[in-house]
Every structure is written in structure tokens, then in C-alpha cells.
Amino acid sequence: MNQRTSQAANLLSGYKPAPGVYDELCLADGKSRDKYEFLLRTLNHLGGAELRRRKEDSLRVLKESGVTYNVYGDERERVWGLDLFPLLMDSKEWDGIERGLAQRSELLNEILKDVYGPKRSLYEKKIPHEVLFQSGGFLRACAPVYDFTNFRLAFLATDISRDSQGNFYVIGDRVQAPSGSGYALENRIVLSRIFPSLYRDSQVHRVALYFRALRKTLNSFSSNRDREPLTILLTPGPGNETYFEHAYLAGYLGYTLAQAEDLTVRDNKVYLKTIEGLQQVDVIFRRVDDWYMDPLELKGDSLLGVPGILGAVRAGNVTVANPIGSGFLENRAIHTYLPSLCKFYLGEDLILPNVPTLWMGDENSRKEVFSNPHKYAIKPAIRSPLDPSVFLSTLKEKEMSELRTKVEARPERYVAQEILSGSTCPIFSGDSEELLIGKSVLRTFTCLSENGYTCMPGGLVRVSPKADELIITNQRGAISKDLWILASEEKKEFSLLPGQIGRMPIKRKGSGIPSRVADNMFWMGRYAERAENMSRLLRETVHKILEAEESYEKEQFSMLLGILDQLAGYNLGFFETNGLDSLDSIREKIFQLATSPYSSGSIRHDLNFFVGTTKAVRDRISDDTRYLISRLESEAPRNSSYDEVLEYLQKLVNLFASLSGLANESMSRETGYFFLDMGKRLERSQFLTRLILATMERASLYNKSMFESLLNVNDIRITYRRRYKYRIEAESVVDILIFDESNPRSLAFQLERLRENTLFSSSGKDEEISEEIQRLTDVLVRFGEEDAKRIFEYADPAGGLRRWLEDIHAQLKSVSDAVATKYFRYVENQVRLGGPYG
């Protein structure tokens, strides 16, 4: 055994490729391929313990970055699955794939232009008309829309797989809204962090140039030359399986992430509805499928599209990439005719072949397929989750008969594809030094550039942990790998210095934010503050329970429990508790108040709503903020003991304090920040007034222990003691909690910040005083009518304070309502003109 073989032996000791299937790592004799030798030596040198640690690190990085994939039918977001063992390909093999993908993209673009234009291929009978017009995908509403003289497909994704000899075949194209490129980029970033030296020394082609070319192409699609074009990324929303990728790419490319309700069409122009007003959209980078894009002309009950957008495209006022209607290119039936169409349009042979495909609309094809069922899988021409692929060899006689009847009823809607063996590849289990075997399929990405179509030098590898799996999708539990294209020579460094281009103008303010985003930022601030406030109050209560020994101390925590009951908004029965004998019974109620996701008013309930709002604005949240949010989402007490709950509450308070610090020190003072802070200040003001009112219902103004608890909950006890030593007096406590503008948790401080926020949000919009400013002015006037000294000069100071705080609380609610009315009513009323089909 030579040195090279021995160095690779550890990882390969249990790796046994299946006979008759191409394996990415090993040759037929079980020896590793040359291109993997350096990788295997490096991983063996690290050792099993270090590899397990780095796998844990990769999972931590994915969680902290919020990299998720939504599985339909599962309410939970799943952390993206990434295997640490990359798939390698040398430059020579990749060059052939790259040329084939570029040619395929050019061919599909020509087919798109022809089918929605002169239809030469139909008149010259290069493809049956049933393939295009009866098997699905073609949209008649789009036929008069496009002038393809200067417009082309911007980007595509192509799935490829190997046969038993290792030859690559195309198994499908994604054209409407191809997904996966963002995950491929994130995979690359994570692996380069986990194995920095290995990545650097392996001479891997970089993928960033692909995204640079894509961004430049999309910008060039704008017909506007008078101002900087506005490009948005249109997403179906947080419920979509790949929503993380939408937000990630929007941030990476510098685009505004928008949903359908953020857009409106006026005079055949598409506008983004922002707090600052309507802003005309020039280019839409869409992640919404064709059929849902325009409820006026396509699917009538769609809420994912923009009514009237096809009219704006016809008028040439907006460009949608890829064009609405391009989804017919995903029709598998076209694969049957691509070799001849390539000759017809390009005068060339198809470089990258399709998996052998038979269109079932042809009678001879049906006979061939059902005579050789072991060779074929029946698939719908247009993908549908309601009509999955069927492998004929797995069917019993009755099932085969039923399928044949179904296909012969609408044969033009189905194809049969030969079954590829695919390729196997290694998976690092993380539990040992051994490699497991999985089945893989590769998704590649192509985009339009200045010099034609260019390919991402890498891709997204999907791997099923089952080596005999025939269908490999993320929805069915596949994990991912990064594809490394190994450079044949040392890579050149790219300079980041300015080239021969115009200088970018300096900006100190971003473009306007959609009303939906402002709404979510506002409630992000409110829910964070709400959960933090309840955490502080519950923490103080648990402290008092654990410290209670004398009867007056028992009475105090009983009062705190009653306040919790009132402020949480639902009846836990705390007010019935009296004495230490009930500690065991109230412990479970406290645990419920801290952790129940279904009880409105609980900390976990508010925390979950906070996390939900952050996901809706994921593209506007920094990495550090996402890390803290992931910590908040994952923290939980291990059991219901007081010590565990207390530790949990302390972590929450610290994490929320860190979030506040990040917002104050890292967020630029633009629109999003002011709405976030506005929500926070309104919530803190209302909580403080409710807390003092609830305290006064259960204790007199001269209950020093309760006023000390108020100081603790509002984190001002140290300052108070420094000023007043150890004397707890009602007047001084009321002053520091309500009127002291130097206290960042006082009511006076919140009102001043609210005044600044509302002045910013309303600046330059209306000549008349806006409603929210008027409402806040009323609050400030009422607030200025009292001070601590005047209140305690009344014959009934408690009554006067109560009535005054009730007025303030009611007026604060009117401020919140006025803000919502002016800024957050962004959904236009839609009238359904027809059924689901327009």
C-alpha cells in the first residue's frame, strides 16, 4: 500500500460503492479518484473529533445566520442541511458542462421568442402544437405582450444527473423562478469558514462573479435613463419554502424585497408603496410562478401577484425577469424535440443531452413505454405536486392498468423518461470518521451576461441519504453539498478598485421602505418590548417568591402575582394564591406564563410573534441581530423549577438588552429605525402606565416594598438608591419612574422619543399637522399638566394619579391607532372578477 492510499484509508474504510452505479469519490476498484486525494488527506489529518466539532460549528453558523428551508405541511422552519464533504469536479469536465449549459440557455431563449412570436417551429412542424398548447405552461394572455428584440431570459437553473458510465444528462429545467442559487452561495460561505485553509489551497473557482453578472444584467433591463433604476425581488412571502433565499439574495444583490401587497399598478406603471409615497419600479426579479403573477388576466384568486402587471409589461414600463409566460419551457415534453430544435434554431448539435424522453401524446411512444415498464418513469409534462412521478417497475398489475387508463385519457399531458442510475457520493455522518453513501443530483445555474450566457462555476448538490432513492428533493428530506470546480491553474485576483466606470454618487439615505416593512418593524419593536417587560416583571416575582419568609413578604409576592394576572391579559388564578403553601401550585402557572406558545400574553407567545415579524423583514436585519434572534428563539428552560425559570428569564432580559443596544448603536437613523423605536416607546409607555395602575389597585401609595419592586422591574433601583439612599418614598419613586427625563425607562423619556419619531416619519409629507402628531400633542399637553410634587399636594393623590395615568394610557392608544391608520393600511381592496382561472 503506497503512502497516498494509506492516507485516504481511514475515511474510505467503510465506504463501499454500489456496483453498476457511478460513484463521485471512488473508481470501480474502490480506490479514490485523483481529484479527491488532497481533500481526503486533509480531512484524515484533522481526525474524527475535529471533524465532528467542525460539523457542529457549521450547524451553529447555519442557525445563527437563519438559513432555513420550509417543508410544506410542517409549521416549523427547518435549518438548512449542509454536508461538509464537498463534491469535486475538475475544470476539464466542467468545461463541457458549461458549454452545454450556455448553448441550452441560448436555445431555450430562442424557443421562447419564437413561440410567443412568429411560431416558425410550429409552422414548419418541428414540434407538435399539442406539446405547447395542450400539455400546459403556455399562457395565451402573454402572446401579445413581448417585444423580444432587446429582451432575453435572464437566468435559468438546470438539473443534471449521471448514467452508470458517468455521462451527464439533463433531467429538467427551471425557468420561471429558479431557486437554489442563494443556497449554493450560502453553502460556499459556510464551507469556506469551516475549512478556510482547505478551501484556499484547493484552488476552487469563485461563484461571486456569477451574481455580479446577474445584477448587471438585471440593471440593464431598465428602460429608465433619467434616474437610478429601482429593482425589486418579488417573493410569495415567508410561507414559501425558499423564503430565506429570497431575503438573502435581495440583501446580497442590493434589491428591495417586496410582496404583492407592496406593489400597485397605476397608469400601466408598477409602483412600490412606501412610507415616503409611491416609487416607480423598473425591474422585477420574480420568485412567483407565472400563473399567479396577475389575478386580472391569469389566476383570478391569486394573492401572490399584482393586478394589472401584464398591462404594465405590455406598455414597456416594467421588465419582469424571467418573462411571465416562460414557464412552458419547463415542459418535459419539449425534451423530446430539443435535439432537432437545436439544429433548427442554432444549426448545432445539442452538447448536453436530455435524459431520453418520450412524449405520451405519440401512440408509438405509449406502446414502447408500456411494453418496457422497467425502463421508464411516467411524469406529468408540467410539474405538479398533485400528480407525482410514477416508476412503472414498482406498480402491480391493477395499478398499471389504472395508470394506463389515466394517461390515455389525456396523453398530451404526460411524458416517459428513462430511469438514470444517477451517481452516488460520500456523506460525512458526523458521528464517526467513516463516510456514508448517498444518491445525488446536481442543480446548475446560468445567467445572461455581456458576452452571452455564463454559468456559475459551482452549483447546488442535493443528496439523499438513501443510496437507492429515485426522487431526490429537499421536500423529501435531501440534504445539500457544495460543488467545487477545481481550477487547472492558479486563480487571478480581482481588484476591487474602481474601473473605467462613472463615480457612484454619495448617499446618506436609503430608498423608501414599503408600508408592510414599516408595519413589521413597528410590531417588531412592540413585541420585543412586550416580551422583555413581562420577563422583567416575572423575574421580580420569582425573586420575591424565593426570598419570602415573613408574612409581609408573602403578601408582597401575592400582590405581584395579581399584577401578573392582570397584565398578562388572561386568568391564571394568581390573585387567589396566598402563602407559601401554594408555591408548588403556582410554579406550574409561572412556567406556563413563561413558556406557553398558545396563551396570549405569555412571554413565549409574544416572543414567537416577535420572531415572526423579524422573518418578514429578514432582508433588513444584520447578521449580529439574526444571531441574537436565533438565541431568543432557541432558549427554553429544561424544567419547570423556579431556578430554571429564573435562569431563562435572566437570559431573555440580557438578550433583549443586547438587541436594544444593537439597534441604538448599529442601525442607521432611517425610516425603519424610527418605526422600530416608535413601536418600542409606545409599548414601554403603555406597559409602565398599566404597571403603576395595577400596583395601585393592590397596594397603597405607601407600600414601600411594592414601590421597590417597581424600581427593580424598571431597572432603576441603583440610580434611585444613589440619589435617595435607602429611603423609599412614593413621591420620589413616582418622579423617577414617570417624570425624570434622564431615566431611559421613564414615561417622560418615552414621550420625548415618540415626539422625535413622529416628527421624522411625518416630515415633508403634509402641510397640515398629521393625525398622529396631533394625538401625541394631546398626550404631551395632558402629561405636562402634572408633576410629582403637584400630585402629592392633592387631598387624594392616589385618585388623582390614577385618573391622570388612565387618561395618558387611553391617549397613547389613540397615537398607536393613528400611526397604523396613516402608515400601515397598505392593502388595496381587490374585487374578484372571475373564478380561479380569471
Side-chain angles (χ1 to χ4, degrees):
M1 183 181 292
N2 59 37
Q3 183 180 5
R4 191 181 74 173
T5 303
S6 63
Q7 287 174 324
N10 290 345
L11 282 172
L12 293 177
S13 58
Y15 192 78
K16 305 295 182 184
V21 179
Y22 185 90
D23 187 76
E24 300 288 347
L25 175 59
C26 290
L27 299 166
D29 59 6
K31 294 181 181 179
S32 61
R33 301 181 188 276
D34 291 345
K35 59 188 175 185
Y36 281 97
E37 288 301 325
F38 176 68
L39 175 62
L40 290 170
R41 286 200 306 270
T42 304
L43 297 182
N44 271 319
H45 178 72
L46 290 173
E50 179 62 19
L51 287 175
R52 286 191 291 274
R53 187 188 69 79
R54 297 201 186 195
K55 186 171 182 66
E56 291 172 358
D57 286 346
S58 70
L59 183 60
R60 175 182 53 79
V61 171
L62 291 168
K63 285 182 177 179
E64 291 174 358
S65 300
V67 187
T68 58
Y69 181 85
N70 300 334
V71 177
Y72 293 132
D74 189 342
E75 294 181 357
R76 299 169 302 166
E77 279 191 328
R78 296 189 182 181
V79 177
W80 179 247
L82 171 62
D83 182 56
L84 295 190
F85 198 103
L87 199 68
L88 305 185
M89 191 178 295
D90 57 48
S91 292
K92 183 177 180 181
E93 185 175 29
W94 176 251
D95 285 345
I97 295 174
E98 189 173 31
R99 287 186 294 107
L101 291 173
Q103 181 202 54
R104 189 178 189 88
S105 301
E106 194 68 54
L107 173 59
L108 293 177
N109 187 72
E110 291 298 320
I111 295 173
L112 176 66
K113 291 193 295 183
D114 184 41
V115 168
Y116 282 110
K119 300 178 177 58
R120 291 172 47 225
S121 60
L122 292 170
Y123 291 134
E124 300 187 29
K125 300 184 178 179
K126 299 299 180 182
I127 188 170
H129 69 273
E130 297 93 339
V131 169
L132 297 175
F133 303 138
Q134 293 184 23
S135 59
F138 178 81
L139 300 180
R140 298 183 186 278
C142 296
V145 170
Y146 299 111
D147 173 11
F148 282 101
T149 306
N150 297 310
F151 185 61
R152 311 173 70 181
L153 291 174
F155 53 94
L156 307 91
T158 304
D159 292 333
I160 60 177
S161 185
R162 295 187 190 263
D163 65 6
S164 59
Q165 303 302 312
N167 301 309
F168 276 110
Y169 288 86
V170 173
I171 58 177
D173 299 289
R174 295 298 176 98
V175 180
Q176 300 178 74
S179 64
S181 60
Y183 286 108
L185 176 60
E186 183 65 22
N187 285 353
R188 178 63 56 87
I189 291 172
V190 172
L191 277 193
S192 65
R193 287 179 59 181
I194 300 301
F195 297 123
S197 299
L198 173 62
Y199 176 70
R200 181 186 63 247
D201 296 339
S202 294
Q203 292 295 315
V204 182
H205 279 288
R206 307 295 193 249
V207 299
L209 290 179
Y210 167 85
F211 294 98
R212 187 185 303 176
L214 176 60
R215 180 167 52 193
K216 191 170 184 179
T217 294
L218 292 174
N219 289 345
S220 71
F221 283 168
S222 172
S223 59
N224 170 64
R225 296 293 179 265
D226 298 328
R227 55 176 171 76
E228 185 178 354
L230 176 59
T231 302
I232 65 160
L233 192 154
L234 180 62
T235 174
N240 186 263
E241 59 183 346
T242 57
Y243 177 71
F244 159 79
E245 181 181 57
H246 305 169
Y248 182 68
L249 285 179
Y252 186 80
L253 296 172
Y255 297 153
T256 298
L257 185 67
Q259 295 176 214
E261 60 261 41
D262 299 327
L263 304 175
T264 186
V265 175
R266 310 279 177 87
D267 298 324
N268 279 336
K269 295 178 182 179
V270 179
Y271 291 94
L272 180 68
K273 294 179 283 188
T274 76
I275 295 300
E276 291 82 1
L278 297 178
Q279 296 184 3
Q280 186 176 347
V281 176
D282 301 292
V283 180
I284 298 177
F285 178 21
R286 70 178 173 107
R287 299 304 294 268
V288 175
D289 286 347
D290 285 345
W291 196 233
Y292 299 90
M293 281 295 293
D294 190 340
L296 283 181
E297 300 193 52
L298 300 172
K299 195 173 188 298
D301 60 352
S302 170
L303 297 178
L304 304 180
V306 185
I309 194 171
L310 276 177
V313 174
R314 287 190 192 99
N317 293 325
V318 69
T319 299
V320 178
N322 279 330
I324 304 171
S326 58
F328 83 91
L329 294 171
E330 298 178 2
N331 189 331
R332 294 180 173 113
I334 295 178
H335 289 195
T336 306
Y337 305 95
L338 275 184
S340 60
L341 290 173
C342 190
K343 280 278 191 182
F344 177 70
Y345 287 113
L346 304 181
E348 303 170 353
D349 290 326
L350 198 61
I351 297 173
L352 194 59
N354 305 293
V355 60
T357 303
L358 298 176
W359 177 52
M360 299 302 280
D362 179 75
E363 184 177 358
N364 292 329
S365 295
R366 294 197 297 276
K367 291 180 180 178
E368 160 65 18
V369 170
F370 288 108
S371 298
N372 300 279
H374 63 283
K375 290 177 56 178
Y376 295 100
I378 297 290
K379 302 179 181 181
I382 296 293
R383 294 175 184 84
S384 170
L386 303 178
D387 196 3
S389 302
V390 178
F391 292 84
L392 298 182
S393 60
T394 66
L395 299 182
K396 297 178 181 179
E397 185 176 347
K398 181 180 179 181
E399 293 171 329
M400 180 73 76
S401 176
E402 291 174 349
L403 176 65
R404 187 164 190 166
T405 301
K406 174 184 174 182
V407 170
E408 289 181 345
R410 296 296 302 272
E412 72 280 357
R413 290 182 174 269
Y414 293 93
V415 300
Q417 290 188 331
E418 286 191 17
I419 301 172
L420 287 180
S421 62
S423 63
T424 54
C425 65
I427 301 174
F428 177 63
S429 68
D431 299 324
S432 67
E433 292 187 46
E434 294 183 354
L435 296 172
L436 305 178
I437 295 179
K439 181 69 73 69
S440 65
V441 65
L442 172 61
R443 174 163 292 186
T444 59
F445 304 96
T446 312
C447 76
L448 185 63
S449 68
E450 294 175 314
N451 302 313
Y453 285 97
T454 185
C455 299
M456 177 194 293
L460 180 66
V461 184
R462 289 170 290 170
V463 184
S464 170
K466 301 176 183 178
D468 59 348
E469 183 68 79
L470 295 174
I471 301 177
I472 305 171
T473 67
N474 295 103
Q475 287 288 322
R476 294 169 65 99
I479 59 175
S480 71
K481 282 180 174 289
D482 191 16
L483 174 64
W484 288 7
I485 309 301
L486 306 179
S488 56
E489 59 185 24
E490 188 171 348
K491 302 178 299 303
K492 297 179 180 179
E493 296 295 331
F494 291 93
S495 173
L496 297 179
L497 295 175
Q500 299 299 317
I501 57 176
R503 297 182 65 180
M504 183 179 296
I506 298 296
K507 294 183 179 180
R508 292 185 177 172
K509 184 179 179 181
S511 58
I513 66 172
S515 300
R516 174 188 56 82
V517 173
D519 190 356
N520 280 289
M521 296 293 280
F522 178 79
W523 280 101
M524 181 178 165
R526 294 205 70 157
Y527 279 120
E529 186 66 24
R530 191 172 295 178
E532 180 186 352
N533 290 334
M534 190 57 69
S535 298
R536 290 178 177 276
L537 180 56
L538 189 56
R539 181 183 62 174
E540 175 67 11
T541 304
V542 174
H543 272 306
K544 294 303 180 185
I545 291 174
L546 295 177
E547 295 170 358
E549 293 181 0
E550 304 296 336
S551 59
Y552 75 90
E553 292 173 329
K554 300 173 188 178
E555 180 184 357
Q556 183 183 357
F557 82 69
S558 183
M559 290 181 183
L560 283 170
L561 290 173
I563 293 171
L564 274 171
D565 219 3
Q566 181 173 337
L567 266 60
Y570 65 101
N571 185 10
L572 284 169
F574 282 146
F575 64 89
E576 300 169 357
T577 303
N578 186 17
L580 290 173
D581 294 339
S582 305
L583 288 185
D584 287 338
S585 64
I586 68 173
R587 179 171 50 82
E588 290 298 329
K589 295 178 181 179
I590 285 178
F591 185 73
Q592 178 185 344
L593 184 57
T595 63
S596 173
Y598 306 110
S599 301
S600 177
S602 74
I603 295 172
R604 174 52 63 176
H605 179 271
D606 291 335
L607 188 55
N608 287 348
F609 272 85
F610 164 72
V611 172
T613 60
T614 65
K615 289 175 181 176
V617 293
R618 192 194 296 259
D619 59 312
R620 296 174 181 271
I621 295 176
S622 69
D623 292 341
D624 291 336
T625 302
R626 277 200 298 267
Y627 167 72
L628 291 174
I629 293 169
S630 70
R631 288 279 309 278
L632 282 165
E633 191 175 13
S634 61
E635 287 290 349
R638 291 185 292 272
N639 55 59
S640 61
S641 70
Y642 284 119
D643 288 340
E644 276 293 326
V645 171
L646 195 59
E647 182 181 355
Y648 170 64
L649 296 172
Q650 186 61 56
K651 287 179 180 178
L652 291 186
V653 170
N654 290 342
L655 288 170
F656 277 119
S658 298
L659 273 176
S660 295
L662 268 179
N664 286 329
E665 297 300 324
S666 300
M667 285 187 71
S668 59
R669 280 5 183 208
E670 297 183 8
T671 308
Y673 170 84
F674 286 100
F675 277 95
L676 175 72
D677 198 58
M678 191 186 301
K680 174 181 178 177
R681 302 303 167 183
L682 274 170
E683 190 64 40
R684 186 174 291 184
S685 300
Q686 291 181 295
F687 174 80
L688 181 59
T689 56
R690 291 173 62 212
L691 177 62
I692 295 175
L693 286 169
T695 302
M696 292 174 63
E697 284 184 23
R698 289 168 172 77
S700 72
L701 279 178
Y702 306 100
N703 188 318
K704 296 185 178 181
S705 296
M706 287 303 298
F707 276 98
E708 185 176 19
S709 291
L710 286 181
L711 294 173
N712 288 334
V713 171
N714 288 279
D715 201 22
I716 198 67
R717 179 172 56 90
I718 300 299
T719 301
Y720 183 88
R721 283 187 174 178
R722 189 174 64 250
R723 292 180 183 176
Y724 301 102
K725 307 307 178 187
Y726 287 90
R727 294 182 58 186
I728 304 292
E729 300 291 348
E731 183 176 343
S732 54
V733 171
V734 167
D735 179 72
I736 201 169
L737 290 180
I738 297 178
F739 298 103
D740 185 355
E741 294 182 355
S742 68
N743 173 15
R745 303 192 75 86
S746 73
L747 183 58
F749 188 92
Q750 313 317 310
L751 295 179
E752 175 58 26
R753 292 295 293 269
L754 278 172
R755 187 187 66 81
E756 296 172 2
N757 292 333
T758 52
L759 285 174
F760 172 86
S761 61
S762 300
S763 61
K765 295 186 176 58
D766 301 310
E767 293 182 2
E768 298 181 0
I769 298 177
S770 59
E771 180 72 12
E772 76 277 12
I773 289 184
Q774 182 61 57
R775 297 297 183 192
L776 183 58
T777 300
D778 293 341
V779 178
L780 294 171
V781 169
R782 183 71 176 108
F783 181 81
E785 291 175 357
E786 300 288 359
D787 59 37
K789 183 178 180 181
R790 184 181 299 117
I791 286 173
F792 283 88
E793 290 176 349
Y794 293 150
D796 179 17
L801 178 60
R802 184 181 298 110
R803 288 188 295 273
W804 180 70
L805 285 175
E806 287 172 347
D807 289 346
I808 296 292
H809 184 79
Q811 289 177 323
L812 284 169
K813 187 178 184 304
S814 71
V815 173
S816 179
D817 292 342
V819 169
T821 299
K822 179 171 182 178
Y823 296 108
F824 305 151
R825 295 193 176 175
Y826 48 87
V827 179
E828 296 178 311
N829 293 327
Q830 296 185 17
V831 179
R832 185 168 173 173
L833 299 180
Y837 305 103

